[in-house]
Amino acid sequence: MLAVTVTGALGALACTVHGVAFVWTTLRADMAITLWGEWVMTVCYLPVVAWGPLLAAVTVHHHRRRTRGTRG
């Protein structure tokens, strides 16, 4: 059970770092794009940042559900 939790936690961390880095570098890039295009792109890619924290929440819930009642 610990292997699943650790893997989920590492995946959540990796997704969070990747999502934040992706959005940060995209917003800071010097692209030939209109203000409207930049806004649309930001709105479309911003949910990528939520993927890591949501995976972390599901991992914590899974760990708590699977280890409930095994403490003695």
Side-chain angles (χ1 to χ4, degrees):
M1 189 53 52
L2 185 61
V4 173
T5 303
V6 170
T7 304
L10 291 175
L13 179 64
C15 286
T16 301
V17 169
H18 173 66
V20 169
F22 178 77
V23 171
W24 176 259
T25 55
T26 301
L27 292 177
R28 307 273 298 163
D30 186 25
M31 297 183 286
I33 191 171
T34 64
L35 183 61
W36 174 250
E38 185 177 344
W39 184 85
V40 169
M41 186 179 65
T42 301
V43 168
C44 289
Y45 281 108
L46 203 55
V48 171
V49 178
W51 193 268
L54 290 173
L55 178 59
V58 170
T59 301
V60 168
H61 176 70
H62 175 78
H63 178 74
R64 287 182 179 171
R65 187 171 41 106
R66 292 294 182 180
T67 58
R68 185 183 320 149
T70 59
R71 298 179 185 172

